[in-house]
C-alpha cells in the first residue's frame, strides 16, 4: 500500500463522510480492491494559521522530552507518522488492541488534496469551512477500515447499523488544586458547563440533556437514559449509519508557547497558592508523567466509539462463533457486532494553554448563567409575593 500514490484523478472516488477539529474523513466509492471498505483521514489546517500549529515538522523539543521513553515515536521524521505511532503505542494498550485500528499511510499529491478540498466544500458545515481547510502541504493520508460496515461490506446477511458515540468526560474531578471559585467543577460535568458556553456563542441551538456520568455509570437504566438524551439532541455526539451511510446525526467542531508563568502568575494570589508550589518541586519524571497523562486524557475525552451490528442468518448461526454475537430476545434474532475507537489524535503540547483558557471560559460562562438564573428566580418570587400582598 505504501507504494500507492493518489493523484488528482483519484479524488472523485473519495466522498465526504464527516470531520472533526483536526481531520476530514472521506469514504471510498471506487472499485480498487485496496480501498474498498476503507476511509481516509486527511489533516486540516486553520485558514488563519499564522503560527504553523499544524506544521509538517515532527515533535517539538519539549514533546521529544515528554515522549522520550518511546524511541520509535520520537525518531519519527514527520507529524503524520508520530500520530500513527501514538495511536499504536500509547492509546491502543489502554483501550485494547482489538478495538483500535492504527491504520496505514499512503502517499498523496498536492493536486489530489486540492481536488478533495474543492469536491467536498459544499458538504461541509459552513462554520467548519470558515475555520479550516484541507492541508494541501501534506504528502500522506491515513487509511483505516470503515468501521461503519463489516470487513466484507454489506453481505446478504442483512443491513449493518452502526452507532457512533462521542462519550466525552465521564467523571467529576476531585483534585485538591481546584480553587474555591471553581468549585462547580466538582458537581457539574464539564459537558454540561460547556453547553452553556456553546449556546452563548450560538454554536448550538439548545441544551443537550445528555450526562456522560450516566453513560459511564454501569447502571442499565442510566445508560439507557444517556442514549435517549443523545438521540433527542445528537449535536456532534451521536450519529447512526446504515450500511455505511449516515442516516441520523450531524456531520461533524492562541498559539503561543506554554510556560509556567501562563498559569502561575494568575494563581499567585490564590488562597491555595501554597499547594501549587509543591508541583514545582516534584521530580522531572513525575512532572512528565502528569503532562503525558493529561494529553492522553484529552485524546480519550475527544474520541468516538463505533458499535456496529448486523443480523446473522440461520446458516451463520450454525457455523459461526458466538464470541462477537448478541441475542435479542424481543425479536428472536442473533446479531454479530464489532466495536472500535476512532479519533485518537495526539494533542500538541502547545494546546495546553488553549485548554487552560477554554476551561476558564467554560466555568465562567456557566457560573454567570447560574447567577443570572438565580437573580431571575428571585425577582419572580418577589413579584409573586408583591401580587399576593396587594
Amino acid at each position: 500500500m505504501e507504494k500507492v500514490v493518489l493523484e488528482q484523478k483519484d479524488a472523485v472516488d473519495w466522498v465526504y463522510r464527516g470531520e472533526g477539529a483536526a481531520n476530514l474523513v472521506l469514504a471510498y466509492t471506487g472499485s480498487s480492491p485496496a480501498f474498498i471498505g476503507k476511509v481516509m483521514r486527511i489533516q486540516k489546517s486553520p485558514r488563519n494559521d499564522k503560527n504553523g500549529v499544524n506544521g509538517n515538522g515532527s515533535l517539538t523539543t519539549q514533546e521529544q522530552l515528554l515522549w522520550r521513553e518511546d524511541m520509535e515515536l520520537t525518531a519519527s521524521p514527520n507529524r503524520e507518522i508520530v500520530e500513527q505511532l501514538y495511536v499504536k503505542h500509547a492509546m491502543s494498550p489502554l483501550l485494547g488492541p482489538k478495538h483500535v485500528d492504527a491504520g496505514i499511510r499512503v502517499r498523496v499529491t498536492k493536486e489530489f488534496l486540492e481536488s478533495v478540498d474543492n469536491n467536498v466544500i459544499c458538504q461541509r458545515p459552513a462554520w467548519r469551512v470558515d475555520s479550516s481547510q484541507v492541508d494541501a502541504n501534506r504528502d500522506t493520508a491515513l487509511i483505516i477500515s470503515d468501521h461503519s460496515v463489516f470487513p466484507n461490506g454489506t453481505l446478504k446477511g442483512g443491513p449493518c447499523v452502526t452507532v457512533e458515540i462521542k462519550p466525552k468526560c465521564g467523571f467529576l474531578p476531585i483534585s485538591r488544586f481546584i480553587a474555591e471559585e471553581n468549585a462547580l467543577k466538582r458537581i457539574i460535568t464539564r459537558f454540561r458547563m460547556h453547553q452553556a458556553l456553546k449556546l452563548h456563542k450560538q454554536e448550538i441551538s439548545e441544551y443537550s440533556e445528555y450526562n456522560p456520568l450516566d453513560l459511564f455509570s454501569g447502571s442499565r437504566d442510566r445508560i439507557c437514559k444517556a442514549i435517549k438524551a443523545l438521540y433527542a439532541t445528537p449535536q456532534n455526539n451521536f450519529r447512526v449509519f446504515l450500511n455505511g451511510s449516515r442516516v441520523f446525526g450531524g456531520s461533524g467542531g492562541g498559539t503561543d508557547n506554554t510556560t509556567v508563568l501562563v498559569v502561575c502568575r494568575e494563581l499567585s494570589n490564590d488562597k491555595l497558592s501554597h499547594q501549587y508550589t509543591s508541583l514545582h518541586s516534584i521530580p522531572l519524571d513525575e512532572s512528565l508523567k502528569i503532562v503525558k497523562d493529561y494529553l492522553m486524557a484529552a485524546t480519550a475525552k475527544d474520541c468516538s466509539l463505533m458499535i456496529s451490528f448486523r443480523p446473522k442468518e440461520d446458516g451463520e448461526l450454525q457455523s459461526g462463533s458466538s464470541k462477537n454475537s448478541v441475542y435479542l430476545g424481543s425479536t428472536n434474532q442473533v446479531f454479530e457486532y464489532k466495536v472500535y475507537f476512532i479519533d485518537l489524535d495526539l494533542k500538541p503540547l502547545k494546546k495546553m494553554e488553549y485548554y487552560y483558557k477554554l476551561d476558564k471560559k467554560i466555568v465562567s460562562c456557566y457560573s454567570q448563567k447560574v447567577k443570572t438564573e438565580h437573580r431571575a428566580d428571585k425577582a419572580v418570587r418577589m413579584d409573586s409575593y408583591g401580587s399576593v400582598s396587594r
Side-chain angles (χ1 to χ4, degrees):
M1 183 75 79
E2 64 273 4
K3 295 181 180 179
V4 174
V5 179
L6 296 178
E7 302 175 344
Q8 184 175 11
K9 63 181 176 60
D10 301 307
V12 69
D13 292 329
W14 296 90
V15 299
Y16 183 79
R17 170 64 64 81
E19 63 187 292
N23 296 279
L24 196 71
V25 180
L26 309 172
Y28 185 67
T29 60
S31 57
S32 170
F35 295 115
I36 291 176
K38 306 290 185 182
V39 296
M40 175 186 292
R41 296 186 72 205
I42 298 177
Q43 289 185 293
K44 303 190 299 182
S45 62
R47 290 193 182 275
N48 59 347
D49 185 16
K50 299 177 181 178
N51 296 284
V53 174
N54 286 358
N56 289 317
S58 187
L59 295 175
T60 65
T61 302
Q62 291 82 7
E63 288 173 327
Q64 289 274 352
L65 176 63
L66 190 63
W67 302 103
R68 62 182 180 179
E69 293 179 2
D70 191 324
M71 296 299 292
E72 187 179 1
L73 192 150
T74 55
S76 300
N78 57 55
R79 196 82 186 190
E80 289 96 332
I81 296 178
V82 166
E83 293 275 0
Q84 188 177 8
L85 291 175
Y86 170 76
V87 173
K88 181 180 178 181
H89 294 175
M91 300 309 299
S92 181
L94 289 176
L95 300 174
K98 70 176 183 178
H99 299 304
V100 175
D101 178 8
I104 58 174
R105 303 209 73 87
V106 296
R107 297 190 65 81
V108 293
T109 64
K110 185 181 183 72
E111 292 74 21
F112 171 83
L113 294 175
E114 290 174 340
S115 293
V116 165
D117 198 22
N118 290 330
N119 292 346
V120 305
I121 195 167
C122 293
Q123 284 79 50
R124 299 178 61 201
W127 67 277
R128 291 287 195 190
V129 174
D130 291 341
S131 64
S132 62
Q133 60 192 351
V134 169
D135 188 347
N137 293 317
R138 304 287 176 174
D139 57 9
T140 65
L142 186 68
I143 301 293
I144 60 175
S145 296
D146 185 348
H147 297 305
S148 66
V149 295
F150 281 81
N152 296 323
T154 56
L155 298 178
K156 60 181 180 180
C160 171
V161 176
T162 299
V163 176
E164 178 184 347
I165 299 175
K166 190 179 286 290
K168 307 305 288 185
C169 188
F171 66 92
L172 292 173
I174 57 174
S175 171
R176 71 181 189 278
F177 297 112
I178 297 175
E180 192 57 39
E181 60 267 26
N182 296 328
L184 277 172
K185 295 167 72 170
R186 296 192 180 98
I187 56 174
I188 306 295
T189 64
R190 179 185 171 86
F191 179 84
R192 179 66 178 174
M193 290 192 289
H194 203 173
Q195 287 281 297
L197 180 61
K198 288 183 175 180
L199 192 64
H200 176 73
K201 295 167 66 176
Q202 298 184 326
E203 294 179 1
I204 57 175
S205 58
E206 61 179 321
Y207 274 103
S208 169
E209 293 303 318
Y210 168 62
N211 184 345
L213 301 185
D214 289 334
L215 191 67
F216 287 90
S217 67
S219 162
R220 183 184 180 91
D221 290 342
R222 291 184 64 185
I223 292 173
C224 287
K225 178 184 176 183
I227 299 298
K228 289 178 181 178
L230 287 168
Y231 184 81
T233 316
Q235 295 182 10
N236 71 329
N237 300 100
F238 187 80
R239 298 194 296 173
V240 179
F241 298 86
L242 177 62
N243 294 336
S245 298
R246 177 169 51 88
V247 294
F248 184 80
S251 57
T255 59
D256 294 334
N257 289 334
T258 302
T259 66
V260 172
L261 297 176
V262 172
V263 183
C264 295
R265 184 183 298 118
E266 298 184 16
L267 299 174
S268 60
N269 296 323
D270 194 276
K271 296 177 183 177
L272 302 178
S273 60
H274 64 282
Q275 292 191 30
Y276 300 116
T277 57
S278 64
L279 291 174
H280 305 298
S281 60
I282 61 178
L284 175 61
D285 285 350
E286 190 173 342
S287 296
L288 293 176
K289 184 179 185 305
I290 290 173
V291 178
K292 283 174 62 177
D293 287 348
Y294 177 85
L295 293 176
M296 292 171 69
T299 294
K301 188 177 63 178
D302 281 343
C303 80
S304 289
L305 182 64
M306 299 197 76
I307 310 170
S308 299
F309 304 87
R310 69 173 176 185
K312 283 192 170 186
E313 292 189 327
D314 291 341
E316 292 179 298
L317 296 181
Q318 299 298 326
S319 59
S321 169
S322 61
K323 66 176 182 178
N324 289 326
S325 300
V326 290
Y327 174 70
L328 184 62
S330 59
T331 61
N332 194 31
Q333 284 180 293
V334 176
F335 290 85
E336 180 182 4
Y337 72 89
K338 65 170 187 170
V339 180
Y340 275 90
F341 292 96
I342 62 172
D343 298 340
L344 299 171
D345 304 303
L346 169 64
K347 305 300 182 182
L349 184 61
K350 285 184 177 181
K351 289 204 73 171
M352 285 193 69
E353 182 176 4
Y354 164 78
Y355 291 142
Y356 175 70
K357 291 178 179 178
L358 176 61
D359 190 69
K360 288 178 62 179
K361 288 180 182 178
I362 289 173
V363 176
S364 174
C365 185
Y366 192 82
S367 297
Q368 186 59 44
K369 171 183 174 293
V370 171
K371 291 177 183 176
T372 301
E373 291 177 347
H374 178 72
R375 286 196 296 266
D377 182 61
K378 185 177 180 181
V380 168
R381 285 188 278 110
M382 289 181 66
D383 184 65
S384 299
Y385 178 76
S387 299
V388 171
S389 299
R390 287 194 297 270

